[in-house]
């Protein structure tokens, strides 16, 4: 054990503890801490045997595997030699029992249109579309870019690719033509699936136009399939572009799933690195499928009668794992919503929950903070009694935002699962099991069975409890990325070189006395004040606990005296920015977590720069804080005007 080196100091002490409600625990599949501990210990002693036992029963095998894990660090192969198919596991497996006529997807469009697809209907659509792909000459191993609105057809397209072994690369339908072209080229995509347009806050976004521009620079793309969604005029190039609906009319519904090697690539998903070009994270078939199915069942305490709503878009990994592959392979009913959560009004989320009787809500801290800002009245006018479980993902949740979620949405009755994971991990790595693990606001609590995390210093030694350090995973797991598309070297360097033999997540974390994990933000975001390394989330959470702060982002800027000074960017609720409030916020942080963490600069702003999936882009704020132009990749920035406005506010 060590407490030296590059550790991060913690200044936040959160003492509140919420045991699983007795009623919830009584019905839960894993209903006590002892049960969790037993399962965790069993898996930890021999993770390979643990996953082997699950894989045999949880997936359908066309051919059994001969070896559970082949580990040539940093390259892992799981269930070697087996043949399976993710589309088969998500669909065909449910067709010979009562789930056949169960709703797989209940969908609502932004304008309010609704559709429901049973497992049998979804299977039929997927088979037909798989035949459309084949008719265009696609086969196993070919890459298909998907740039679509959150419609059932997006899921159909993903599963149809999986069915024939084509590798999908979903590109968030809000990225620019430039970003599409870059991804098409990196992956050598042969096809793009898109739609005429999409609805966003009542406005039309012309998707096909962006694809047309991208194709001028995407020489590998041979054909385009276009779904009619909005009805706007689009340019269709003969011999290249085909209407989805016309192709489907002609397609047969008979398309057996292709038996695919366990390690066959299922998908690529691009995620932005802090600098340079985006990384194509590669996931494969069997291990990923098993991991998302089991983590879905464990974390959401899955019940057959549930309606599960994950608000994530399929343009990022949460949509892949917990809108599509996890819930569907578990036979769940997924609610899918196309549009913005505040359209036509700020109560759309709660309205949807009430109207469909949603039981489990899985969303992001950024959405929760927005709801807090919009006000409790939007929530309170709806009957949310169907909810039994709440979840968050994507960023750390500030304890006060957690408390609001717990009180105002969950009525102190629903456990909250704060799930830590990454595009690279494929599925949830750490999270409370809601019937078993008491929760603490702001902590993702404990690792899931089969996951072995360790917090280490720069030399790879485990740090003492309460000392922050680098979060690593010490044993391979089935859902882990298998590489960066076309760049093994970057894969090895990014994740496996700084701490040899361990997966480096790139996040800071610490353990408390109860063995709970606290994620402290990205490694690169640490602020070093007079030799004390502070985590961004702790300063931000102290700010968010002030009644007038809606959101906050903390970054370091160079300071001659202290090394770094703390600059914070704050959005307000129920208050006007002024000098007095600045002073008050400084003192508030000082009182909450200490003089060391007192911000030097406070910038008030209307909005923070965020990624499309809602993460605060601190790297860009660092540039603003030191008065620099940003140089890094901004292709994932949600609202380009935010940076310009922030700079203007500085002048
Ligand atoms: C952050 C999203 C704290 C973290 C599934 C991670 C979190 C990155 C949490 C991955 C959480 C995600 N608490 N931080 N519960 N969940 N993060 O690839 O920094 O979009 O490394 O995957 O988000 O983001 P990604």
């Amino acid at each position: 054990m060590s407490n030296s080196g590059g550790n991060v100091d913690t200044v936040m002490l959160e003492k509140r503890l919420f045991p699983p409600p007795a009623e919830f625990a009584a019905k839960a599949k894993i209903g006590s801490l002892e049960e969790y501990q037993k399962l965790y210990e069993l898996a930890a002693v021999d993770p390979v045997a643990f996953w082997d036992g699950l894989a045999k029963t949880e997936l359908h095998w066309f051919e059994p595997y001969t070896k559970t894990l082949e580990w040539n660090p940093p390259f892992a192969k799981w269930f070697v030699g087996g043949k399976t198919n993710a589309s088969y596991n998500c669909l065909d497996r449910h067709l010979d029992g009562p789930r056949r006529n169960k709703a797989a997807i209940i969908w609502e469009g932004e304008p309010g249109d609704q559709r429901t697809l049973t497992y049998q209907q979804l299977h039929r659509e997927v088979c037909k579309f798989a035949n459309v792909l084949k008719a265009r000459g696609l086969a196993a191993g070919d890459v298909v870019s998907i740039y679509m609105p959150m419609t059932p057809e997006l899921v159909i397209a993903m599963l149809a690719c999986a069915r024939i072994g084509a590798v999908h690369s979903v590109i968030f339908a809000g990225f620019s033509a430039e970003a599409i072209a870059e991804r098409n080229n990196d992956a050598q995509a042969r096809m793009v699936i898109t739609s005429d347009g999409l609805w966003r806050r009542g406005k039309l976004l012309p998707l096909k136009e962006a694809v047309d521009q991208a194709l001028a620079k995407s020489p590998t793309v041979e054909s385009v399939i276009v779904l009619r969604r909005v009805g706007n005029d689009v340019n269709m190039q003969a011999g290249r572009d085909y209407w989805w609906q016309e192709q489907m009319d002609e397609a047969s519904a008979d398309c057996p799933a292709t038996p695919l090697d366990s390690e066959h690539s299922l998908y690529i998903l691009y995620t932005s690195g802090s600098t340079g070009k985006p990384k194509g994270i590669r996931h494969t078939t069997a291990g990923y499928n098993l991991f998302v199915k089991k983590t879905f069942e464990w974390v959401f305490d899955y019940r057959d009668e549930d309606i599960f709503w994950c608000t994530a878009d399929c343009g990022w990994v949460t949509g892949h794992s917990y809108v599509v592959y996890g819930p569907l392979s578990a036979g769940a009913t997924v609610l899918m919503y196309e549009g913005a959560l505040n359209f036509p009004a700020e109560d759309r989320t709660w309205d949807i929950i009430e109207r469909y009787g949603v039981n489990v809500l899985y969303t992001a801290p950024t959405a929760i903070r927005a709801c807090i800002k919009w006000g409790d009245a939007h929530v309170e006018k709806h009957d949310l009694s169907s909810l039994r479980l709440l979840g968050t993902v994507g960023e750390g949740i500030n304890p006060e935002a957690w408390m609001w979620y717990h009180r105002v949405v969950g009525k102190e009755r629903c456990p909250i699962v704060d799930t830590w994971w990454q595009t690279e991990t494929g599925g949830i790595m750490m999270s409370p099991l809601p019937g078993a693990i008491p929760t603490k606001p702001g902590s993702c609590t404990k690792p899931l069975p089969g996951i072995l995390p360790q917090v280490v210093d720069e030399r790879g030694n485990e740090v003492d409890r309460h000392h922050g350090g680098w979060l690593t995973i010490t044993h391979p797991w089935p859902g882990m990325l298998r590489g960066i598309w076309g760049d093994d070297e970057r894969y090895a360097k990014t994740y496996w070189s700084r701490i040899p033999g361990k997966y480096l997540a790139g996040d800071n974390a610490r353990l408390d006395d109860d063995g709970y994990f606290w994620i402290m933000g990205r490694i690169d975001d640490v602020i070093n004040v007079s030799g004390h390394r502070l985590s961004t989330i702790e300063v931000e959470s102290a700010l968010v606990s002030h009644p007038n702060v809606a959101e906050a982002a903390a970054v370091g800027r160079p300071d001659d005296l202290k090394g770094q000074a703390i600059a914070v960017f704050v959005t307000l609720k129920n208050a006007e920015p002024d000098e007095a409030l600045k002073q008050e916020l400084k003192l508030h942080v000082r009182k909450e977590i200490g003089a060391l963490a007192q911000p030097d600069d406070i910038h008030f702003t209307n909005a923070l720069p965020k990624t499309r999936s809602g993460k605060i882009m601190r790297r860009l704020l660092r540039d603003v804080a030191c008065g620099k132009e940003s140089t890094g990749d901004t292709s994932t920035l949600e609202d380009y005007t935010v940076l310009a406005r922030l700079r203007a506010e500085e002048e």
Side-chain angles (χ1 to χ4, degrees):
M1 292 268 177
S2 123
N3 58 12
S4 62
N7 297 340
V8 185
D9 298 316
T10 186
V11 279
M12 188 166 88
L13 274 185
E14 174 59 61
K15 293 273 186 217
R16 290 170 284 199
L17 186 73
F18 296 86
E23 202 191 330
F24 189 100
K27 288 195 200 143
K29 297 249 168 55
I30 301 176
S32 72
L33 193 55
E34 295 67 41
E35 236 178 292
Y36 157 77
Q37 272 159 346
K38 237 169 80 189
L39 189 64
Y40 187 80
E41 288 309 320
L42 176 89
V45 170
D46 191 347
V48 176
F50 174 73
W51 292 115
D52 176 39
L54 290 175
K56 290 213 164 81
T57 52
E58 301 280 336
L59 298 182
H60 165 83
W61 294 98
F62 294 102
E63 277 175 40
Y65 51 89
T66 50
K67 192 167 183 202
T68 306
L69 171 66
E70 198 176 287
W71 179 223
N72 297 313
F75 300 99
K77 288 185 177 161
W78 282 89
F79 314 118
V80 183
K83 291 211 186 315
T84 183
N85 182 295
S87 161
Y88 190 98
N89 288 316
C90 287
L91 301 170
D92 306 52
R93 268 207 128 184
H94 309 307
L95 295 187
D96 55 6
R99 279 183 187 155
R100 175 172 44 172
N101 296 317
K102 176 180 174 177
I105 298 176
I106 299 176
W107 175 81
E108 182 162 296
E110 192 181 82
D113 38 345
Q114 306 177 341
R115 277 162 68 195
T116 298
L117 287 162
T118 64
Y119 273 94
Q120 188 164 239
Q121 290 169 325
L122 183 60
H123 174 259
R124 188 181 157 81
E125 295 297 300
V126 168
C127 287
K128 286 175 74 175
F129 195 67
N131 279 327
V132 170
L133 297 177
K134 282 189 193 166
R136 296 269 60 83
L138 288 188
D142 289 335
V143 177
V144 175
S145 294
I146 301 180
Y147 183 72
M148 291 179 88
M150 276 292 279
T151 53
E153 283 78 8
L154 169 49
V155 179
I156 292 165
M158 290 165 74
L159 291 174
C161 288
R163 198 160 188 87
I164 65 166
V167 183
H168 59 71
S169 161
V170 182
I171 303 170
F172 181 82
F175 281 168
S176 63
E178 211 46 59
I180 306 170
E182 184 174 23
R183 287 157 176 75
N184 283 343
N185 290 328
D186 187 73
Q188 307 268 294
R190 289 190 60 194
M191 178 191 270
V192 177
I193 305 171
T194 187
S195 70
D196 50 1
L198 69 70
W199 295 119
R200 184 54 40 130
R201 294 195 179 85
K203 289 209 192 71
L204 189 161
L205 267 175
L207 295 193
K208 177 63 166 54
E209 240 175 75
V211 169
D212 286 339
Q213 283 172 27
L215 290 200
K217 296 185 203 160
S218 313
T220 60
V221 175
E222 296 153 34
S223 55
V224 182
I225 309 241
V226 187
L227 175 77
R228 258 245 179 274
R229 167 63 187 135
V230 171
N232 52 320
D233 281 344
V234 299
N235 156 58
M236 295 292 280
Q237 185 176 311
R240 185 194 74 181
D241 302 350
Y242 302 85
W243 286 111
W244 174 295
Q245 280 87 345
E246 284 171 15
Q247 297 293 304
M248 288 292 266
D249 286 347
E250 291 164 15
S252 143
D254 180 25
C255 181
T258 307
L260 297 168
D261 194 89
S262 292
E263 284 297 331
H264 185 79
S265 295
L266 175 62
Y267 69 81
I268 313 169
L269 184 59
Y270 284 87
T271 165
S272 62
S274 55
T275 50
K277 71 174 191 155
K279 301 179 285 220
I281 303 299
R282 185 169 75 89
H283 283 290
T284 58
T285 301
Y288 172 82
N289 199 163
L290 174 68
F291 191 62
V292 294
K293 177 173 195 270
K294 285 318 295 176
T295 51
F296 171 77
E297 292 173 353
W298 285 329
V299 172
F300 300 106
D301 183 38
Y302 167 64
R303 294 180 202 167
D304 230 350
E305 65 277 18
D306 273 350
I307 296 187
F308 173 77
W309 183 18
C310 166
T311 64
D313 192 283
C314 288
W316 62 303
V317 72
T318 306
H320 284 65
S321 300
Y322 301 108
V323 175
V324 184
Y325 291 107
L328 295 181
S329 42
T333 295
V334 171
L335 187 116
M336 187 175 178
Y337 170 59
E338 179 187 35
L341 293 174
N342 59 348
F343 187 84
E346 273 96 12
D347 68 340
R348 182 71 181 257
T349 310
W350 321 113
D351 182 47
I352 289 176
I353 291 172
E354 178 173 10
R355 279 188 290 111
Y356 293 94
V358 170
N359 306 105
V360 182
L361 173 68
Y362 188 35
T363 193
T366 180
I368 296 167
R369 291 189 305 253
C371 290
I372 298 174
K373 189 168 179 179
W374 297 330
D376 298 8
H378 296 293
V379 192
E380 276 155 7
K381 68 177 183 239
H382 292 282
D383 174 5
L384 304 182
S385 56
S386 61
L387 285 175
R388 66 179 192 87
L389 178 61
L390 305 172
T392 76
V393 60
E395 274 189 302
I397 178 162
N398 312 111
E400 287 321 309
W402 193 103
M403 288 305 299
W404 181 90
Y405 202 26
H406 170 70
R407 234 184 32 249
V408 181
V409 180
K411 315 289 183 221
E412 301 181 13
R413 181 173 60 66
C414 306
I416 295 179
V417 289
D418 173 353
T419 63
W420 177 82
W421 58 294
Q422 309 177 292
T423 304
E424 291 87 341
T425 69
I428 299 168
M429 302 289 276
M430 295 203 265
S431 165
L433 297 187
I437 301 181
T439 52
K440 300 183 186 186
S443 167
C444 60
T445 74
K446 305 247 179 188
L448 294 187
I451 301 304
L452 298 149
Q454 193 180 51
V455 182
V456 303
D457 64 18
E458 278 148 355
R459 293 184 302 278
N461 300 316
E462 189 168 10
V463 300
D464 292 339
R465 286 195 173 178
H466 280 305
H467 290 273
W470 290 349
L471 178 60
T472 64
I473 310 292
T474 61
H475 192 282
W477 66 102
M480 66 193 269
L481 77 163
R482 298 301 194 267
I484 294 175
W485 191 259
D487 200 344
D488 282 351
E489 207 176 305
R490 189 174 179 196
Y491 164 70
K493 185 160 176 273
T494 311
Y495 304 106
W496 301 93
S497 67
R498 277 157 96 176
I499 309 292
K502 294 175 188 171
Y503 169 81
L504 182 71
D507 283 341
N508 288 303
R510 74 180 161 90
L511 270 162
D512 70 13
D513 285 336
D514 302 321
Y516 277 51
F517 283 82
W518 297 79
I519 305 295
M520 300 168 81
R522 300 291 298 167
I523 286 176
D524 300 335
D525 288 338
V526 167
I527 308 172
N528 196 330
V529 182
S530 310
H532 297 278
R533 293 160 55 90
L534 298 175
S535 95
T536 49
I537 183 98
E538 296 192 346
V539 179
E540 292 158 6
S541 291
L543 284 160
V544 170
S545 74
H546 186 279
N548 295 126
V549 175
E551 257 185 332
V555 298
R557 69 156 171 77
D559 180 89
D560 287 344
L561 217 59
K562 298 193 278 189
Q564 280 189 319
I566 302 176
V568 300
F569 294 80
V570 173
T571 64
L572 294 175
K573 60 180 185 206
N574 315 320
E576 290 303 317
D578 62 22
E579 250 337 284
L581 187 54
K582 266 191 193 174
Q583 284 314 315
E584 190 179 320
L585 291 180
K586 285 185 184 177
L587 293 176
H588 178 75
V589 174
R590 189 187 180 101
K591 180 172 91 350
E592 290 290 304
I593 54 180
L596 187 67
Q598 174 175 320
D600 297 270
D601 316 336
I602 296 196
H603 307 267
F604 291 119
T605 169
N606 287 325
L608 296 171
K610 291 187 187 167
T611 64
R612 295 286 179 168
S613 57
K615 285 189 222 307
I616 297 169
M617 294 178 93
R618 294 182 187 77
R619 169 170 59 83
L620 302 183
L621 289 173
R622 252 189 325 260
D623 294 343
V624 177
C626 3
K628 268 200 321 218
E629 280 297 314
S630 305
T631 46
D633 171 32
T634 52
S635 67
T636 57
L637 181 61
E638 216 241 343
D639 175 0
Y640 287 92
T641 60
V642 169
L643 269 189
R645 277 186 275 136
L646 269 170
R647 289 219 172 78
E649 278 155 19
E650 294 316 297
E651 279 158 10

